[in-house]
Amino acid sequence: MFEGEEQQGKGNAMVVILIGPPGSGKSTFCEEVMRFSTRPWVRICQDNIANGKAGSKAQCIKSATAALNDGKSVFIDRCNLDREQRAEFVKLGSPKIDIHAVVLDLPARLCISRSVKRTGHEGNLQGGRAAAVVNKMLQNKEFPKLTEGFTRITFCQNETEVQDAINTYSALGPLESLSQGVFGQKKSDAKVQLGIMKFFKKSGTAESGNVGSVATSDQNSASLEKTEDKGSCSKAAVSFSDNAVTEINEHKDQMKGMVKDASASLGDAPTLAFPSISTSDFQFNHEKASDIIIEKVEEFLDKIGNARLVFVDLTHRSKILTLVKEKASKRNIDPNKFFTFVGDITQLYSQGGLRCNVIANAANWRLKPGGGGVNAAIFSAAGAALEVATKEQANTLLPGRALVVSLPSNSPLFGKEGVTHVIHVLGPNMNPQRPNCLKNDYATGCKILRDAYTSLFEGFVSIVRKLPPGSNDNLGSKQSEIQIRNETASKNSEQKFRRDDDDHESDRTKKYKGSHVETKISNSSVGKTIQSGEKFDRTATKAWGSWAQALYHIAKQPEKHKEVVLEMSDDIVVLNDLYPKARKHLLVLTRLEGLEQLADAREEHLPLLRKMHDVGLKWTETLLQEDTSLIFRIGYHSAPSMRQLHLHVISQDFNSKHLKKKQHWNSFTTAFFRDSVDVMEEVSSHGKAKLEDDEKLLSMELRCHRCRSAHPNIPRLKSHITNCNAPFPANLLQKGRLVSAPNNTIISP
C-alpha cells in the first residue's frame, strides 16, 4: 500500500476501473497484480469478452456482476477516459463492493510509442493507426472524481508510481481493503474530496480549497459521527439524507469552534505532528504499534519541555488513531502535551488552524518522493526544496532511523504552513512486497519500531533545544525561522566530510555480489540528526547507504558467504577487504546486533573488542609466516563507511592500486585511524573511545607514514614510500601498535 494509508479489514470485494489510453499499461497492470496477489481477481476486457473476440459494454458488465457474485474482485480493463464510459461500471458499487479508479496518466508520447511498436494486441490497435487513436482519445480525457461514486482514486504519473500501485493491490489479502480518498494527484487545482467533506463543499459549509484535506480536530470526531449516515459515508457517490444535512449544518459552528479551541490550546509552542509509522504500507499490527506509540510518547513528554506531540491521521475512522486516542486516555497522558488530530499533515495550519513547526514523514528507504500517502503528500507539498535538502544529508534511511531536515524558506510548506523542519523516519516492514521484510518477526519488528519513534522524538528534542530564547512567542515569525535554518545549515556544512572511491562509484548502488568486501567512504552514507549548535557527535543517527550493508549482511548470515569468509565464530567474522589499501588488508567483523561503528562501543563491549584484537593478532602471525617483511597495524576508523563495527588489519606497505586519493591515505595514517590497543584502553578507562574530527584529518597534506615528509600527490607519495626505510614515528613504536616478525628490525629507531 501507499505510505501513510490505513488498511482496513472489512473484506469488501473491489471493482478497480483502470483509466488510461492505449499503451498506458492497463493490461500489464492487471497481469502483474493477478500474478502475485492472494486475492481472487478477474480481468474484464471488452477486446476479448466474447469468447476471445471483441464484445460490448453490456457483456463486460454481465461478466463483472457474475464475478462479484462469486466473491471475486474485478479489474475493468477499458480506456474509461470520460465519465460517461465509466458510469455503468461505477453502478456496480454497493455497501459491500468498493469502487476504485487507477488512473494511468503517463506521458502521451510514451503511450503512443508503446501502441505503435506493439504486436498481437487484443484489440488490434497497433502500428501507425494507434498514434492517431491515442492522440484523439487524450483530447477528450476527463479525470475521475469521488463524486462519480468512487471510494478511492489513485493517480499514477510515471512508471514508478504505476509500480507502487501494482504493489499496493498485489499485497492485498482476501479480507483486506484500502482506505478511501484520492492518492497521488499532483495538479495544483485538483480537488481531493474524502468522505463527508464532499458534502461540505457542495453545501457551502466548508472553506474553499482542498476541502478533502480540511483538518478537523479529533476532539470533534464524535460529533461528526452522530451526523453521518453510516451507509452513505462509505461511498462518496451516495447523497446524505435531508436529516443528516440538517444536523451537519447545525454542527457547523461547533466544529469550527472546536478547531479554533484546539489551535488555541496548542498556542505557538514547538509542535511535532507525526503520522503512524509502518501500519499502512508496511502492514505492522495496529495493536502492537499503538502500544509502542503510547510507550514512547510517555517516555519523551518530560524531555520536550512545553513542546507538544500531535498524532495525525486523515480520517477519524482510522483504526490506529482510535487505538492511540483510547490508550492515551486510559494512561492519563496530558492532553495539552499530546493529542490526536484529524487532517492532512501538509495543511494542518491553512485548513485546520493547527500550527506545527515540525512534521514527520513516513518515508521510504530511498528518501525519495513517490508512492502515495504521507510520503508523496509531504514531498509534493514541500516542493523540490525538500528533496534537495534531504539529499544534502543522506541518500538512504535504515529501518528504525530518523533524519532531521531543515526546510528551506523557499519551500511552500515553510511559507504557507510554517513548517521549519521535516523529520524522515522509517519503521519495520511486514509487507513481503517491500524491501527487508521481517516475515512476521514481531520481536525484531517491535524493536525497530521503538527505535524509529525514539529516533523521531530525539530529532524533535534536538530541534526544541536549539530554538532561540523567546521562540515560543515568535514561532510564526519567518525571520526567526530563517535564522534557525541558516544556523543549522551552516553548522551541518561544517560537519560534512567526503571519502569515496571514484573508480567504483557504480558499485555503491548495486547489491553485494563480490568475493570480498568493499571499504569505501561516502558523504551519501552520512545522515545524522545534527542541528544548529551541536558539536560533531558520531553517536547521532547514521543512515547507511544500500551498498554499505554488505558487512552487516555477512555478519548476520556468514554461512551464506562461505566464498568470502576466512573465519567465523559466534562473535566474529574475518574476511578480506574488497578494495585493499595495502598488500594485505583484512577485516575482523563483530556479529553483535546494534554495534555498528566505533561510536557505539561501550564498556560492556570490552570483552568483544579484546577478542577482535586477539583474532587480528592471530591473523598477523599467519600472514607474517608467509612474508616476514610485512609490518601490520590493527585499528578502527573513527567514522566508518560501512555498517557493522569492523577492525582493520592492514600491512604498512600500502602497495595497492586502490589507494589513489588523499582521503584513502589519511584515513589510515592520521589520528583518524584509532589503534586497537588505544581503543581498548579508552573504553576501559572512560567508557567509550575517543573520536577525532575526521574532516580536518582527511584533508591534511600527504605525509609519509615513516619519515613524515610532505608530498604533493599520491603518485609522488607512493614513489617515496616504496624506497623509504626510515623508522616509524616513536608513538607507533609503543604499546604494540605495530606488529612484525620477531627478527624484523626495521621498525626500531
Side-chain angles (χ1 to χ4, degrees):
M1 281 168 293
F2 291 115
E3 291 172 78
E5 297 177 32
E6 188 68 37
Q7 191 176 45
Q8 303 164 357
K10 56 183 181 178
N12 281 4
M14 293 180 186
V15 174
V16 179
I17 300 175
L18 294 161
I19 299 173
S24 58
K26 299 185 296 298
S27 298
T28 301
F29 187 103
C30 300
E31 292 167 0
E32 288 295 304
V33 173
M34 294 169 71
R35 180 186 306 173
F36 297 106
S37 179
T38 60
R39 189 186 190 97
W41 290 95
V42 173
R43 172 180 171 249
I44 305 295
C45 178
Q46 194 167 325
D47 290 333
N48 61 12
I49 194 66
N51 295 321
K53 297 181 180 180
S56 65
K57 180 189 290 187
Q59 289 175 300
C60 293
I61 294 172
K62 182 178 179 180
S63 295
T65 302
L68 292 168
N69 289 337
D70 197 29
K72 298 178 181 178
S73 294
V74 173
F75 284 118
I76 305 298
D77 183 0
R78 297 173 76 252
C79 294
N80 299 307
L81 286 171
D82 61 55
R83 181 167 185 160
E84 185 178 350
Q85 287 186 21
R86 304 185 287 259
E88 293 300 315
F89 296 104
V90 172
K91 291 179 181 178
L92 293 170
S94 73
K96 294 186 178 181
I97 299 174
D98 293 336
I99 304 294
H100 293 190
V102 174
V103 185
L104 303 180
D105 186 27
L106 301 183
R109 182 164 51 183
L110 175 61
C111 297
I112 291 172
S113 174
R114 288 176 175 176
S115 300
V116 170
K117 293 179 181 178
R118 65 188 178 186
T119 59
H121 181 248
E122 292 170 318
N124 198 32
L125 185 62
Q126 55 201 38
R129 171 173 166 268
V133 172
V134 173
N135 186 59
K136 183 177 180 179
M137 284 185 172
L138 289 173
Q139 292 177 9
N140 300 316
K141 178 173 64 176
E142 182 182 3
F143 284 133
K145 298 179 180 178
L146 292 176
T147 51
E148 294 179 38
F150 292 105
T151 55
R152 176 188 176 92
I153 302 172
T154 302
F155 286 87
C156 303
Q157 277 95 8
N158 55 57
E159 293 183 85
T160 299
E161 293 178 359
V162 172
Q163 186 59 53
D164 286 340
I166 289 173
N167 293 341
T168 294
Y169 284 94
S170 298
L172 279 176
L175 299 179
E176 297 172 333
S177 61
L178 297 174
S179 41
Q180 302 175 13
V182 177
F183 298 87
Q185 193 170 26
K186 295 182 173 65
K187 297 185 179 299
S188 59
D189 60 346
K191 300 296 186 291
V192 180
Q193 302 176 11
L194 300 177
I196 196 170
M197 293 305 174
K198 170 190 73 67
F199 170 78
F200 284 170
K201 183 181 180 186
K202 286 187 173 182
S203 63
T205 60
E207 302 292 337
S208 60
N210 189 344
V211 294
S213 300
V214 172
T216 59
S217 171
D218 189 54
Q219 298 170 12
N220 69 351
S221 62
S223 298
L224 273 176
E225 289 176 356
K226 294 178 182 179
T227 69
E228 294 184 38
D229 173 50
K230 296 293 184 180
S232 62
C233 180
S234 65
K235 302 296 175 189
V238 181
S239 299
F240 290 93
S241 68
D242 291 339
N243 290 336
V245 171
T246 301
E247 289 189 53
I248 291 172
N249 282 327
E250 289 175 353
H251 285 284
K252 170 185 171 183
D253 293 335
Q254 179 185 0
M255 288 172 55
K256 289 185 176 179
M258 287 184 174
V259 172
K260 183 177 180 181
D261 290 344
S263 182
S265 68
L266 180 65
D268 282 332
T271 305
L272 166 67
F274 66 99
S276 178
I277 307 300
S278 283
T279 54
S280 55
D281 190 39
F282 297 123
Q283 302 181 7
F284 201 90
N285 178 273
H286 289 145
E287 282 287 349
K288 290 181 171 64
S290 58
D291 285 339
I292 291 172
I293 291 171
I294 295 301
E295 170 193 327
K296 288 300 174 181
V297 166
E298 285 186 311
E299 178 183 334
F300 275 87
L301 280 185
D302 291 337
K303 300 179 182 180
I304 60 175
N306 66 335
R308 270 86 167 185
L309 303 175
V310 183
F311 184 65
V312 177
D313 210 332
L314 198 60
T315 170
H316 59 273
R317 293 184 297 276
S318 160
K319 180 178 179 181
I320 185 68
L321 184 139
T322 300
L323 288 170
V324 168
K325 182 180 178 182
E326 291 174 350
K327 293 177 181 180
S329 177
K330 290 179 180 178
R331 300 292 286 269
N332 295 318
I333 294 178
D334 185 353
N336 292 318
K337 299 192 70 174
F338 172 70
F339 58 90
T340 60
F341 198 86
V342 175
D344 184 336
I345 198 168
T346 67
Q347 301 184 69
L348 294 177
Y349 180 64
S350 61
Q351 298 289 355
L354 180 64
R355 187 183 292 279
C356 299
N357 61 312
V358 185
I359 62 174
N361 177 32
N364 55 48
W365 71 273
R366 293 185 180 89
L367 292 173
K368 293 284 189 180
V374 173
N375 186 65
I378 289 179
F379 270 105
S380 177
L386 175 59
E387 188 173 0
V388 172
T390 300
K391 186 178 292 187
E392 287 178 354
Q393 294 197 46
N395 287 336
T396 59
L397 192 64
L398 287 178
R401 301 303 178 96
L403 177 69
V404 175
V405 177
S406 182
L407 198 60
S409 60
N410 62 340
S411 167
L413 201 56
F414 182 103
K416 188 176 180 180
E417 302 294 327
V419 176
T420 63
H421 296 79
V422 173
I423 305 179
H424 300 295
V425 60
L426 182 61
N429 174 39
M430 299 297 176
N431 184 348
Q433 302 296 324
R434 293 286 188 251
N436 302 317
C437 178
L438 295 177
K439 298 179 180 179
N440 288 321
D441 178 4
Y442 272 96
T444 301
C446 288
K447 179 183 182 303
I448 293 175
L449 190 59
R450 285 188 177 91
D451 290 344
Y453 281 108
T454 296
S455 298
L456 169 62
F457 294 153
E458 283 178 347
F460 179 54
V461 169
S462 72
I463 295 170
V464 171
R465 289 177 178 173
K466 300 306 176 293
L467 290 174
S471 62
N472 290 356
D473 299 327
N474 300 302
L475 200 58
S477 167
K478 291 186 187 293
Q479 183 176 2
S480 64
E481 289 170 340
I482 292 173
Q483 179 183 358
I484 297 167
R485 176 182 53 79
N486 289 340
E487 290 176 357
T488 301
S490 175
K491 292 292 182 180
N492 284 342
S493 65
E494 293 173 3
Q495 295 156 356
K496 290 174 67 176
F497 69 92
R498 179 175 181 82
R499 296 190 294 139
D500 54 15
D501 201 343
D502 293 342
D503 53 339
H504 300 290
E505 184 71 28
S506 62
D507 289 338
R508 292 178 179 174
T509 59
K510 297 178 181 178
K511 292 182 178 179
Y512 177 76
K513 295 180 180 179
S515 60
H516 299 298
V517 176
E518 171 185 4
T519 299
K520 300 181 303 182
I521 303 172
S522 166
N523 66 337
S524 65
S525 69
V526 181
K528 303 177 176 66
T529 53
I530 299 175
Q531 298 302 312
S532 61
E534 282 191 69
K535 295 182 179 180
F536 190 84
D537 180 9
R538 293 181 186 85
T539 64
T541 301
K542 177 169 182 172
W544 303 94
S546 58
W547 61 272
Q549 302 294 325
L551 294 181
Y552 175 75
H553 293 315
I554 293 175
K556 295 296 290 182
Q557 295 180 308
E559 64 277 1
K560 291 186 177 182
H561 303 274
K562 292 181 179 179
E563 75 284 359
V564 178
V565 173
L566 302 175
E567 177 187 346
M568 64 176 162
S569 68
D570 292 339
D571 303 317
I572 59 93
V573 176
V574 181
L575 59 160
N576 285 303
D577 193 291
L578 177 59
Y579 299 114
K581 300 304 186 289
R583 286 168 56 192
K584 298 296 181 181
H585 188 177
L586 276 62
L587 304 177
V588 180
L589 176 65
T590 176
R591 299 186 64 186
L592 183 62
E593 183 75 31
L595 190 54
E596 298 185 351
Q597 53 186 326
L598 189 55
D600 298 328
R602 294 294 182 267
E603 190 171 359
E604 62 265 27
H605 300 126
L606 195 55
L608 179 59
L609 297 177
R610 288 170 176 158
K611 180 170 184 178
M612 293 172 70
H613 181 81
D614 291 342
V615 170
L617 285 176
K618 184 190 72 172
W619 275 94
T620 62
E621 294 174 2
T622 299
L623 296 172
L624 287 170
Q625 291 175 3
E626 300 172 1
D627 187 346
T628 58
S629 68
L630 294 175
I631 300 170
F632 286 92
R633 197 173 172 193
I634 305 174
Y636 303 87
H637 282 149
S638 287
S641 61
M642 302 190 76
R643 179 186 182 190
Q644 204 66 10
L645 181 67
H646 51 281
L647 178 72
H648 293 268
V649 179
I650 185 168
S651 60
Q652 297 299 287
D653 52 86
F654 295 111
N655 181 9
S656 170
K657 64 180 181 180
H658 301 300
L659 196 156
K660 53 192 293 187
K661 299 185 68 176
K662 177 185 288 188
Q663 291 91 335
H664 299 160
W665 177 260
N666 285 334
S667 70
F668 287 99
T669 61
T670 67
F672 183 82
F673 188 83
R674 301 302 328 284
D675 289 282
S676 178
V677 291
D678 295 328
V679 167
M680 290 187 293
E681 182 178 316
E682 290 166 2
V683 172
S684 177
S685 302
H686 308 293
K688 61 181 180 179
K690 181 181 178 182
L691 302 176
E692 298 293 342
D693 187 336
D694 49 273
E695 182 182 15
K696 295 179 181 179
L697 293 170
L698 296 175
S699 60
M700 288 176 60
E701 63 180 345
L702 295 169
R703 287 188 172 274
C704 174
H705 61 310
R706 288 175 177 266
C707 68
R708 306 306 296 165
S709 59
H711 301 273
N713 52 50
I714 289 290
R716 292 280 293 272
L717 174 66
K718 283 189 172 183
S719 177
H720 167 81
I721 63 175
T722 300
N723 301 305
C724 182
N725 291 321
F728 283 89
N731 67 303
L732 293 183
L733 300 177
Q734 302 169 2
K735 296 185 178 180
R737 295 186 178 97
L738 293 179
V739 182
S740 64
N743 60 348
N744 191 331
T745 59
I746 199 170
I747 65 171
S748 301

